[in-house]
Amino acid sequence: MFAEVDVFISNYTLVDPEIYQLWIEGYSSTEAVTLLKQKGNLMAGIPLDLITSDVLDHYRTYSLLERLLHTPSKLSEQPTFQLEPQSRSLLIEKYYSLDDSVARELFGKKLNARNRKDLDEVAEKTGVRLKSCRRQFDNVKRIFKAVEEMPGNTAINIKQQFILSDELAQKYAAVVFIACLRFETTKRKLQYLNFKDFYECSQAIMTNWTYTYQHAGPEYYDTEMDKEFLLDLREIRYLLDKEKEIKCLVTIRLKPTMLDRTYQEMDTSFRSYWRSIITIATSLHRTREMRQLFLELTERLIEPWKMNNWPKDQVAQFMQCLTQSVLDLEVPRDNQDIRCLWDRYMQVVTICLMKMYHN
């Protein structure tokens, strides 16, 4: 009698996370073999030719899969590579991974062939391999083209179109938003800002200053600024005449908690800070001024605060107190909308300033 043997035959495509990660990072197969061999314990006793053969086999598979990854939905439809759901998710998520340092360098660049050829500088500056930089550049361009004209929530559109996680879709949404609005991000004075700074700022703007703030529905874009709101912001020019009252409220509230030197500087320069915040608000309806938002915040507020050694927590106190003082101000009945406009405006400005203010 022959012993019974259970035999299981599978033609599922195997994805080795470690080898796939090396492929994603732009290492050649030869470099990948060397790195795997250096791992030691896992590869101990395995002949080099077997490791090389295995890596080459995986690399060939990933190269064939790459075309399908350009349209992730095709991975579950095509018959050539049978993939388990977990492997499919890994392939997509890793392929569309986006390094913060690379994303930061792509801000302000046109997604054209010329800039793709110049990615050597990005690779050198970020320490990310050129092949990986090109993959990320192509992915950003692909996603941008797919969703830039698509109504609705950008992150949700990206998640649905490219089957990405919430976190990764949000990252791409920030890149798309900054590209659509063409915010100035490349000036020398803004070079200290990293991707996470711009990510938080763009999230705040998308949430509070676009049409999706007050409107729900697929026909509204969160990459389109609420023009009516921006035009209405001109009304807060009225607050320029309330400077003395606002300053009085702010100084009374901050004196017990602020450092003496910061308080004295704030008291002396209050008019400059106050007028800067109002001026920025009343000019945002102009496209050029909106694009210069980060530069304006830096030059008008952040640089003076840094020059006078304001601690970050004191900046937060000042912004919070300034916001609340206006909300507590008595205004005529025909100017009641000013409170809502001011609050909506200051929510974003405060978030941006706190993210952009590096100690």
Side-chain angles (χ1 to χ4, degrees):
M1 293 288 293
F2 291 103
E4 290 186 5
V5 178
D6 291 328
V7 177
F8 175 73
I9 299 174
S10 171
N11 61 349
Y12 274 100
T13 300
L14 297 177
V15 178
D16 184 300
E18 192 171 18
I19 297 176
Y20 185 55
Q21 183 63 39
L22 292 171
W23 183 79
I24 285 294
E25 291 177 8
Y27 289 98
S28 68
S29 58
T30 304
E31 291 169 328
V33 169
T34 302
L35 289 169
L36 289 170
K37 193 65 178 174
Q38 289 172 354
K39 293 279 185 178
N41 294 337
L42 291 176
M43 296 295 173
I46 302 177
L48 184 62
D49 58 339
L50 286 181
I51 298 175
T52 303
S53 176
D54 187 46
V55 169
L56 284 171
D57 188 43
H58 278 282
Y59 265 51
R60 278 192 292 267
T61 300
Y62 303 147
S63 295
L64 292 170
L65 282 165
E66 186 167 18
R67 182 174 55 82
L68 296 170
L69 284 165
H70 293 171
T71 312
S73 59
K74 289 184 177 179
L75 277 179
S76 58
E77 300 169 357
Q78 52 79 37
T80 308
F81 300 96
Q82 293 193 42
L83 295 160
E84 293 180 341
Q86 186 176 356
S87 295
R88 194 160 55 239
S89 297
L90 174 69
L91 285 168
I92 297 169
E93 194 76 4
K94 289 290 186 182
Y95 187 76
Y96 283 92
S97 59
L98 186 62
D99 291 309
D100 288 358
S101 58
V102 174
R104 174 65 182 93
E105 292 303 312
L106 295 183
F107 283 153
K109 293 183 183 292
K110 291 184 178 180
L111 302 173
N112 54 28
R114 180 180 177 182
N115 281 325
R116 191 181 189 278
K117 290 179 181 178
D118 294 338
L119 288 174
D120 306 65
E121 296 177 12
V122 175
E124 185 177 349
K125 187 173 181 179
T126 61
V128 176
R129 303 180 79 80
L130 179 59
K131 188 175 180 181
S132 180
C133 289
R134 286 174 177 161
R135 171 184 59 80
Q136 295 180 61
F137 179 94
D138 292 341
N139 287 343
V140 168
K141 182 177 181 178
R142 186 179 305 113
I143 289 177
F144 178 79
K145 284 189 171 183
V147 303
E148 66 171 321
E149 298 294 337
M150 195 177 290
N153 183 284
T154 304
I156 292 175
N157 290 338
I158 292 171
K159 180 181 178 180
Q160 292 175 345
Q161 290 288 313
F162 292 89
I163 320 177
L164 303 181
S165 65
D166 289 334
E167 182 181 354
L168 191 51
Q170 291 284 359
K171 284 183 73 171
Y172 276 106
V175 175
V176 169
F177 179 71
I178 287 177
C180 282
L181 274 293
R182 295 170 60 190
F183 283 104
E184 174 57 67
T185 59
T186 60
K187 294 288 187 183
R188 183 178 57 82
K189 289 184 177 182
L190 300 177
Q191 288 304 303
Y192 77 97
L193 296 172
N194 57 43
F195 174 79
K196 288 183 179 178
D197 297 329
F198 284 116
Y199 171 83
E200 295 293 342
C201 292
S202 64
Q203 289 292 315
I205 297 171
M206 291 171 79
T207 301
N208 294 284
W209 288 0
T210 65
Y211 280 114
T212 55
Y213 177 77
Q214 291 180 319
H215 304 283
E219 68 272 24
Y220 294 102
Y221 296 69
D222 64 0
T223 54
E224 185 177 359
M225 304 303 292
D226 185 340
K227 294 183 178 64
E228 288 75 18
F229 162 67
L230 297 180
L231 286 169
D232 288 345
L233 275 179
R234 293 176 298 176
E235 294 179 18
I236 71 171
R237 195 183 302 275
Y238 159 85
L239 293 172
L240 287 173
D241 296 331
K242 300 294 180 180
E243 180 185 330
K244 288 184 179 179
E245 296 172 54
I246 297 297
K247 182 179 179 181
C248 182
L249 287 172
V250 170
T251 51
I252 289 172
R253 290 170 174 174
L254 288 182
K255 191 168 186 178
T257 58
M258 253 190 173
L259 296 172
D260 285 343
R261 58 181 173 78
T262 308
Y263 176 82
Q264 293 298 329
E265 200 283 322
M266 183 274 294
D267 187 43
T268 303
S269 305
F270 182 86
R271 167 168 286 194
S272 173
Y273 300 147
W274 173 245
R275 289 182 175 271
S276 292
I277 290 171
I278 300 296
T279 301
I280 291 172
T282 56
S283 61
L284 286 176
H285 63 284
R286 293 192 287 269
T287 302
R288 183 182 180 280
E289 300 303 322
M290 175 60 76
R291 290 174 182 168
Q292 299 291 326
L293 174 63
F294 301 128
L295 189 62
E296 287 287 293
L297 291 175
T298 299
E299 292 180 341
R300 290 176 176 269
L301 297 165
I302 292 173
E303 286 183 347
W305 287 338
K306 282 189 173 182
M307 192 179 300
N308 290 286
N309 299 312
W310 278 43
K312 190 170 184 176
D313 65 319
Q314 306 277 274
V315 173
Q317 285 183 38
F318 175 71
M319 293 302 294
Q320 183 179 4
C321 186
L322 191 65
T323 302
Q324 192 58 48
S325 295
V326 173
L327 296 178
D328 292 342
L329 192 69
E330 290 188 14
V331 294
R333 285 186 178 180
D334 57 347
N335 277 328
Q336 289 298 310
D337 288 346
I338 282 181
R339 284 198 183 94
C340 293
L341 291 169
W342 173 256
D343 190 42
R344 187 176 171 186
Y345 166 68
M346 288 296 282
Q347 282 185 51
V348 172
V349 170
T350 300
I351 290 172
C352 289
L353 286 171
M354 294 312 299
K355 289 305 299 181
M356 295 168 65
Y357 196 82
H358 293 193
N359 284 334

